Amino acid sequence: MPDNTQKPVLAIRDLRVAFGDRRHATEVLHGISMHIRAGEKVALVGESGSGKSVTVRLAMGLLQDQKRTHVAGHIWFDGIDAAKGGPEVARRRGNRVAMIFQDPTSALNPTFKIRGQFRDVLRSGDRSISKADADRRAEAALAEVSIPDPKRALDSYAFQLSGGMNQRVMIAMALANRPQLLIADEPGTALDVTVQAQTLKLMHEMTERTGTSVLLISHNLGVVREFADRVYVIYRGRIVEHGTTAQLFHDPRHPYTRALLAAIPKISGGGLPDLPERSPDFENPLIVHEGCGEPTEAFA
Amino acid sequence: MSNILRSFLYRLGAALIVMIGISMLIFAIARVMPGDPARIALGPNATAEQVAALRLERHLDAPLPVQYWEFVKSVATGDLGKSLYTNRPVTTDIAQFLPATLELVFVSGILMILIGLPIGILSAHYRGRFPDHVGRLISLLGVCTPAFVWGVILQLVLGYFWGWFPIEGQLSQSVTAPPAVTGFMLIDMALAGNGAGFLDALHHLILPALALAMSGLGQTARLTRSNMNEVYERPYVEMARAYGFPGRRIAMRYGFRPALIPTLTILGLEFAAMLGNAFLVEKVFGWPGLSRYGVEVILRKDLDAIVGTVLVIAAAFLIVNIIVDILVNIINPRIRLAAGRA
Ligand SMILES: Nc1ncnc2c1ncn2[C@@H]1O[C@H](COP(=O)(O)OP(=O)(O)OP(=O)(O)O)[C@@H](O)[C@H]1O
Ligand SMILES: [Mg+2]
């Protein structure tokens, strides 16, 4: 049963977003609410195009400054509403939230070395940090994620390191400023399956050690089952079921969740799961399992 | 590092082959243009014997390959022949006129970079907003309007109406030219320790340089903008935003720097293209440069001078391209490191 006494690190309230001109905007999220408490590992699962990435990119303030994005609702990071977004929010949000991307190699700037980028990351947490201090901390952070020769890694460009190595670098960077929440959008799906599994294991260990909450986005229910404490199932821009991992896997109640679970065995083949056939039942209203209600505290 | 050297030698070799091709082409073209160069040089009053004598002296009646062979032999000794018009060695003429053109083109290139890159960066950074609209308008006007039209516009507005800049020439009449050491006006003024003269020369240089720079400047801004916009879609820019890096840092290190690599190549071509465009600007501003000389000798069918001028301009073009290639290799770590490893 989740610990409801903790104040949420992130709380999303009735988030709606539409893209396009004011007249022809298409709504992609139709009122999403979710929360993550300190130390929790929460998964967001759903088929491709259901709005997982849009949700977390909004939370990171990455979509709001586009002209054709229309946002309603709230994204609370203790006391700050980030729904309006923009670089201002990114700065104020500071390093409470960090993000890991799907393809680690392309998430690193190819024109300068890991060292420079790591400095930028550390500087965003502590503006007055000296170069020497930053380098020392970067080395320590890389050693923590078991990179064999941190000095050499720092002096490499991303394209000189393997995908798995870059993934470790990304995790080290993301956790370097000790964020309260780590968002991982299908981490490592661009890499091969074993490296992906190693990445998730590393992420699990690291966040356990630091007490960082995690919001994991994944297609892969097998991964979710091992990794997450709590799961939100999203279908076409709506959360359709929400419960602890145990509740959801043992007692799936929403037809869409059932269909997703039915697709699991096929994953062992290594490819993506076959998606369930669309069914009108999938539009059924939200099901929330016992003890998993949204927090009632006011955040403003 | 040795591989950068190797690729440099390779490019040098390629440039040499291009030079030989160009020399054959221009050599042949100059000789099939209508009109008898000896007759044009000597004027309508010369006798047929005089014309024949000049033709003989210059081997004009020999078959083309023989003439070309003679030409190659003399080029190998640094002799580009003699102008039929000025009656001086072509190298002397070129040495006199080339520095003014190089100075003009060089300053134009600097203006192109100093103005074009920032416009492009601002456009990309403020995409779809006011600075972007202004930047795009400037670059569009720059690209669409020929250099000589810019020349006339700048002359009229900044020179004639507002009187901020001189309209013509390299120096004011009250200023005496410095002793020609390098041939470059600015450098010679500086060497002569003539501060006021240096400023006067610079003052004269700005309008023609700006007119010549406009098209490349517009192209640079457009390319920088579109390359940066493309880079802005990359995950590492999203990452930089997610971490809340300062806007300027995102623009310069995460947006501009990766975008500079493809931009630089085109920038080099624009720079080299200025050598060709310089003629019209030199004409408009009465600038005593090589391009103007080149056209005069073409109209007079001054064979050796035509070939010499074209070769020198082609060589300058190729040299600029080689320099740009090397720069691209140096700023692109992927190429630099690949070269070091192999
Ligand atoms: N910037 C945008 N402009 C317009 N539409 C967008 C934009 N970003 C996402 N969408 C649309 O929103 C919907 C949800 O996309 P999203 O990327 O969140 O899906 P997802 O659940 O992450 O899918 P996947 O599992 O394939 O990553 C899609 O239909 C997509 O086309
Ligand atoms: Mg996605």
Side-chain angles (χ1 to χ4, degrees):
Chain A
M1 198 82 1
D3 175 9
N4 283 344
T5 57
Q6 287 269 11
K7 201 175 172 224
V9 176
L10 167 74
I12 294 175
R13 270 299 153 81
D14 200 27
L15 184 65
R16 290 167 182 276
V17 67
F19 294 107
D21 299 333
R22 254 170 222 291
R23 261 188 251 150
H24 312 285
T26 2
E27 201 174 73
V28 170
L29 296 184
H30 314 289
I32 291 220
S33 293
M34 57 190 296
H35 68 277
I36 298 158
R37 295 179 194 276
E40 256 190 321
K41 294 188 171 48
V42 174
L44 180 59
V45 296
E47 65 191 13
S48 187
S50 53
K52 306 181 295 289
S53 296
V54 168
T55 307
V56 298
R57 291 175 74 216
L58 279 170
M60 296 303 288
L62 291 172
L63 289 177
Q64 285 90 333
D65 50 355
Q66 288 172 14
K67 244 189 195 166
R68 296 147 65 84
T69 311
H70 314 283
V71 186
H74 304 281
I75 301 167
W76 297 107
F77 294 111
D78 48 29
I80 301 167
D81 185 357
K84 292 289 162 279
E88 194 51 39
V89 165
R91 220 167 306 128
R92 281 175 60 207
R93 188 193 68 229
N95 296 95
R96 276 191 283 267
V97 189
M99 188 161 174
I100 291 179
F101 294 84
Q102 188 171 357
D103 177 5
T105 307
S106 64
L108 291 164
N109 189 330
T111 53
F112 59 104
K113 293 175 181 166
I114 308 284
R115 185 183 296 281
Q117 220 154 321
F118 224 122
R119 274 185 198 153
D120 281 349
V121 169
L122 288 165
R123 208 171 281 139
S124 76
D126 172 6
R127 245 167 249 194
S128 56
I129 192 168
S130 72
K131 278 187 179 176
D133 281 347
D135 289 353
R136 217 168 304 128
R137 276 182 58 190
E139 262 173 55
L142 290 184
E144 250 185 304
V145 294
S146 321
I147 283 182
D149 188 351
K151 274 211 175 70
R152 225 187 80 199
L154 284 177
D155 282 318
S156 306
Y157 292 90
F159 58 83
Q160 293 177 298
L161 301 177
S162 69
M165 220 33 119
N166 283 328
Q167 187 68 269
R168 282 166 194 271
V169 171
M170 290 298 298
I171 293 175
M173 277 181 184
L175 296 175
N177 290 316
R178 295 288 176 255
Q180 289 168 280
L181 172 63
L182 179 66
I183 296 180
D185 190 349
E186 306 192 29
T189 38
L191 307 174
D192 70 63
V193 185
T194 45
V195 178
Q196 203 180 321
Q198 284 167 9
T199 301
L200 281 160
K201 192 158 160 264
L202 175 68
M203 218 169 75
H204 195 272
E205 284 168 18
M206 291 293 296
T207 51
E208 284 289 305
R209 205 182 305 162
T210 53
T212 309
S213 318
V214 181
L215 173 56
L216 173 75
I217 291 184
S218 184
H219 282 301
N220 189 331
L221 284 175
V223 163
V224 167
R225 183 175 207 162
E226 277 184 45
F227 191 92
D229 306 321
R230 216 147 45 80
V231 181
Y232 287 88
V233 180
I234 182 171
Y235 176 69
R236 296 230 242 168
R238 279 195 183 82
I239 302 288
V240 294
E241 185 161 1
H242 165 209
T244 64
T245 308
Q247 287 168 335
L248 228 119
F249 277 81
H250 290 126
D251 181 21
R253 295 191 194 152
H254 197 279
Y256 178 66
T257 313
R258 286 193 192 145
L260 270 185
L261 286 172
I264 292 189
K266 293 168 191 157
I267 303 171
S268 50
L272 287 175
D274 292 340
L275 286 173
E277 291 279 331
R278 273 229 160 116
S279 139
D281 294 345
F282 293 175
E283 311 283 350
N284 285 0
L286 166 67
I287 293 170
V288 179
H289 288 258
E290 309 84 70
C292 290
E294 291 300 311
T296 47
E297 307 103 293
F299 293 99
Chain B
M1 226 41 193
S2 71
N3 259 46
I4 287 199
L5 187 69
R6 195 184 304 164
S7 87
F8 169 71
L9 291 177
Y10 172 80
R11 276 169 234 269
L12 209 61
L16 207 66
I17 293 172
V18 171
M19 284 298 287
I20 292 172
I22 289 177
S23 71
M24 286 180 172
L25 205 64
I26 190 66
F27 196 84
I29 289 175
R31 276 158 181 77
V32 299
M33 290 195 312
D36 177 358
R39 167 58 70 190
I40 298 174
L42 293 174
N45 295 330
T47 65
E49 286 78 37
Q50 284 172 313
V51 171
L54 188 58
R55 289 187 67 85
L56 191 67
E57 182 199 325
R58 295 301 180 89
H59 309 289
L60 290 180
D61 295 316
L64 258 189
V66 176
Q67 290 190 43
Y68 184 72
W69 181 239
E70 291 296 325
F71 164 78
V72 170
K73 279 199 295 195
S74 61
V75 167
T77 64
D79 176 10
L80 286 175
K82 208 166 155 193
S83 165
L84 289 169
Y85 173 60
T86 60
N87 220 4
R88 300 191 302 180
V90 171
T91 45
T92 312
D93 283 347
I94 289 176
Q96 182 187 337
F97 295 115
L98 183 62
T101 294
L102 287 186
E103 203 162 30
L104 177 65
V105 168
F106 188 73
V107 172
S108 287
I110 291 177
L111 288 178
M112 169 175 96
I113 291 165
L114 287 186
I115 302 175
L117 286 183
I119 290 181
I121 295 172
L122 288 175
S123 271
H125 195 66
Y126 295 100
R127 181 178 189 173
R129 282 183 274 166
F130 185 68
D132 187 18
H133 298 314
V134 175
R136 285 164 71 179
L137 185 68
I138 295 175
S139 44
L140 197 66
L141 286 175
V143 173
C144 295
T145 314
F148 70 93
V149 176
W150 274 116
V152 174
I153 293 174
L154 293 175
Q155 266 181 338
L156 268 179
V157 178
L158 299 183
Y160 184 72
F161 290 134
W162 294 348
W164 291 353
F165 292 95
I167 289 175
E168 259 201 350
Q170 253 188 320
L171 284 180
S172 302
Q173 278 180 343
S174 56
V175 178
T176 40
V181 182
T182 61
F184 295 94
M185 187 61 80
L186 289 176
I187 297 177
D188 286 348
M189 280 292 188
L191 288 178
N194 186 346
F198 181 86
L199 289 182
D200 186 63
L202 193 62
H203 201 197
H204 279 78
L205 186 50
I206 287 177
L207 279 197
L210 191 59
L212 184 56
M214 285 308 288
S215 143
L217 180 158
Q219 197 65 19
T220 305
R222 281 157 56 95
L223 272 168
T224 306
R225 174 181 182 274
S226 66
N227 286 335
M228 263 179 86
N229 280 338
E230 200 181 299
V231 169
Y232 273 160
E233 306 288 318
R234 305 265 167 88
Y236 51 81
V237 176
E238 186 157 70
M239 173 193 125
R241 289 209 180 110
Y243 277 103
F245 295 166
R248 261 184 57 183
R249 194 161 201 88
I250 295 179
M252 297 311 294
R253 293 244 280 180
Y254 292 81
F256 174 63
R257 190 151 153 184
L260 182 61
I261 293 166
T263 308
L264 197 59
T265 316
I266 305 296
L267 218 116
L269 288 179
E270 287 295 328
F271 192 82
M274 285 178 178
L275 284 166
N277 279 336
F279 159 67
L280 291 164
V281 173
E282 288 182 3
K283 188 90 192 154
V284 170
F285 286 90
W287 195 260
L290 184 65
S291 312
R292 212 174 60 163
Y293 171 79
V295 172
E296 269 164 30
V297 295
I298 286 176
L299 294 178
R300 296 203 158 87
K301 209 162 181 253
D302 190 344
L303 297 181
D304 290 352
I306 295 173
V307 175
T309 308
V310 169
L311 285 185
V312 166
I313 289 181
F317 189 100
L318 291 169
I319 289 170
V320 169
N321 270 314
I322 290 177
I323 292 175
V324 169
D325 277 341
I326 293 173
L327 279 181
V328 169
N329 282 358
I330 290 175
I331 68 161
N332 188 344
R334 228 177 264 256
I335 296 181
R336 186 178 69 228
L337 294 169
R341 217 180 298 136

